[in-house]
Amino acid sequence: MQMIINILNSMPGAVAQGLIWGIMAIGVYITYRILDIADLTVDGSICTGGAVCVMMMISGFDVTTSIIAAIIAGMLAGLVTGILHTFMGIPAILAGILTQLGLYSVNLKIMGKANQALNLKKYDLIVSLQYIRNVPFYKNTILIIAVFSLVLISILYWFFGTERGCSIRATGSNLNMSRAQGINTNFNTVLGLMLSNGIVALSGALLAQYQGFSEVQMGRGAIVIGLAAVIIGKALFGKLFKNFYLQLLGVSLGGVVYYIVYQTVICLGLDPDLLKLLSSVVVAIFLAVPYWKKKYFSKPIKGGAANARTV
């Protein structure tokens, strides 16, 4: 009984964190699903967003300006990856690794040390762990992050319905055909990477405020969490959410589901050292399911060989 109470008490915090990481997962969705690129920059750019936001606020800037600066910093990280990939011809996954590696040093220089704290009493934060319970509804972290997510999804839904947004989607769908149609695929790839990492940095800025500090290792394993949220969202809501807006919403909800499961597993007594391993196993299984379905469970087409010979 006490265990159930502990799980229920931990749920508000899990939902809040899940929504924040859900924003990061939306950034991952843009590269992984729309551009068809495995971008590992996010492990560094989420920390960059948090570092820039924290240091801007410590330097006396308001929280809105600090968040905007964090988004711009994330977009610049995506720009670097895009240039490495398109202009220098480096494979996308390796370009992301190189940028992520470089961002470790950049983030250390931004913060001046491995971590920087934000005192809630000194700074006017938008979200915080302490704003989960016993606060006015308009200050509740869950409500604020939910509004952030819905506004972000609405903006992305509008953008990807524009000519530029459709050309980015076409670039990820069929690169060669897009080039044949006169689309500047290199520009679209760079723009998509910038957009993705800007969103990831936004998540990092909110996460740093929520937990009260920015730390140079805070982005380690972020790509796994992002992929888990994308895959869980598709697995749970894919058949219901066909519209692009709802697909993005499903990704956000995937982050919430991931952290609810994450928190439940902790409350049940799983060794925290094994949580990253659990995440990687879950992602691997969900990625393998479509392949298993196709190879082992799909029905063979009758007369396929005969039809092939007649053709």
Side-chain angles (χ1 to χ4, degrees), residues 99-155:
T99 305
Q100 173 202 136
L101 184 65
L103 284 175
Y104 184 88
S105 297
V106 172
N107 295 334
L108 279 174
K109 283 297 183 181
I110 290 173
M111 293 188 292
K113 54 183 181 178
N115 59 75
Q116 285 283 359
L118 273 179
N119 192 324
L120 181 61
K121 296 180 180 179
K122 291 183 179 180
Y123 305 100
D124 185 20
L125 307 180
I126 291 180
V127 296
S128 172
L129 179 60
Q130 298 182 37
Y131 291 163
I132 296 292
R133 295 184 177 90
N134 303 320
V135 293
F137 78 95
Y138 57 86
K139 292 188 68 174
N140 187 280
T141 292
I142 296 176
L143 175 63
I144 292 174
I145 299 300
V147 171
F148 257 93
S149 300
L150 291 175
V151 170
L152 174 63
I153 292 171
S154 298
I155 292 172

Side-chain angles (χ1 to χ4, degrees), residues 224 258 262 265-266 269-282:
V224 175
Y258 174 87
Y262 186 92
V265 168
I266 291 177
L270 181 71
D271 185 353
D273 293 341
L274 299 176
L275 289 174
K276 294 294 185 183
L277 176 61
L278 176 65
S279 298
S280 62
V281 170
V282 169

Side-chain angles (χ1 to χ4, degrees), residues 22-36:
I23 292 175
M24 188 276 297
I26 291 173
V28 173
Y29 181 90
I30 292 173
T31 51
Y32 179 65
R33 289 290 187 189
I34 296 178
L35 279 179
D36 195 26

Side-chain angles (χ1 to χ4, degrees), residues 220-240:
R220 176 170 289 184
I223 185 64
V224 175
I225 298 175
L227 286 173
V230 171
I231 294 166
I232 291 171
K234 182 175 178 60
L236 295 181
F237 309 108
K239 292 184 178 180
L240 296 175

Side-chain angles (χ1 to χ4, degrees), residues 21-293:
W21 284 93
I23 292 175
M24 188 276 297
I26 291 173
V28 173
Y29 181 90
I30 292 173
T31 51
Y32 179 65
R33 289 290 187 189
I34 296 178
L35 279 179
D36 195 26
I37 289 176
D39 179 29
L40 299 183
T41 312
V42 297
D43 278 20
S45 59
I46 189 171
C47 180
T48 302
V52 170
C53 181
V54 167
M55 296 309 297
M56 289 282 288
M57 294 188 71
I58 290 176
S59 300
F61 291 91
D62 63 273
V63 65
T64 302
T65 303
S66 301
I67 290 176
I68 293 173
I71 294 172
I72 293 172
M75 294 180 72
L76 290 175
L79 175 63
V80 172
T81 300
I83 291 175
L84 290 174
H85 175 50
T86 58
F87 180 71
M88 300 180 68
I90 299 173
I93 190 168
L94 182 55
I97 292 173
L98 292 174
T99 305
Q100 173 202 136
L101 184 65
L103 284 175
Y104 184 88
S105 297
V106 172
N107 295 334
L108 279 174
K109 283 297 183 181
I110 290 173
M111 293 188 292
K113 54 183 181 178
N115 59 75
Q116 285 283 359
L118 273 179
N119 192 324
L120 181 61
K121 296 180 180 179
K122 291 183 179 180
Y123 305 100
D124 185 20
L125 307 180
I126 291 180
V127 296
S128 172
L129 179 60
Q130 298 182 37
Y131 291 163
I132 296 292
R133 295 184 177 90
N134 303 320
V135 293
F137 78 95
Y138 57 86
K139 292 188 68 174
N140 187 280
T141 292
I142 296 176
L143 175 63
I144 292 174
I145 299 300
V147 171
F148 257 93
S149 300
L150 291 175
V151 170
L152 174 63
I153 292 171
S154 298
I155 292 172
L156 290 175
Y157 180 71
W158 165 81
F159 173 74
F160 281 105
T162 64
E163 183 177 352
R164 175 57 62 187
C166 288
S167 68
I168 292 176
R169 295 170 73 175
T171 298
S173 179
N174 193 319
L175 190 66
N176 293 328
M177 182 61 72
S178 298
R179 285 174 178 163
Q181 295 297 320
I183 296 175
N184 189 337
T185 56
N186 283 344
F187 177 82
N188 285 340
T189 300
V190 173
L191 182 60
L193 287 166
M194 291 178 66
L195 181 61
S196 169
N197 285 280
I199 294 170
V200 171
L202 167 63
S203 173
L206 295 173
L207 180 61
Q209 292 180 57
Y210 176 81
Q211 62 191 16
F213 64 91
S214 176
E215 200 263 332
V216 73
Q217 298 283 1
M218 65 184 281
R220 176 170 289 184
I223 185 64
V224 175
I225 298 175
L227 286 173
V230 171
I231 294 166
I232 291 171
K234 182 175 178 60
L236 295 181
F237 309 108
K239 292 184 178 180
L240 296 175
F241 294 175
K242 300 296 184 181
N243 180 274
F244 182 66
Y245 185 98
L246 295 178
Q247 288 177 2
L248 293 176
L249 180 61
V251 171
S252 180
L253 294 177
V256 175
V257 172
Y258 174 87
Y259 261 90
I260 287 176
V261 174
Y262 186 92
Q263 193 63 50
T264 301
V265 168
I266 291 177
C267 291
L268 291 175
L270 181 71
D271 185 353
D273 293 341
L274 299 176
L275 289 174
K276 294 294 185 183
L277 176 61
L278 176 65
S279 298
S280 62
V281 170
V282 169
V283 172
I285 290 173
F286 273 99
L287 286 172
V289 165
Y291 173 76
W292 289 341
K293 280 184 177 180

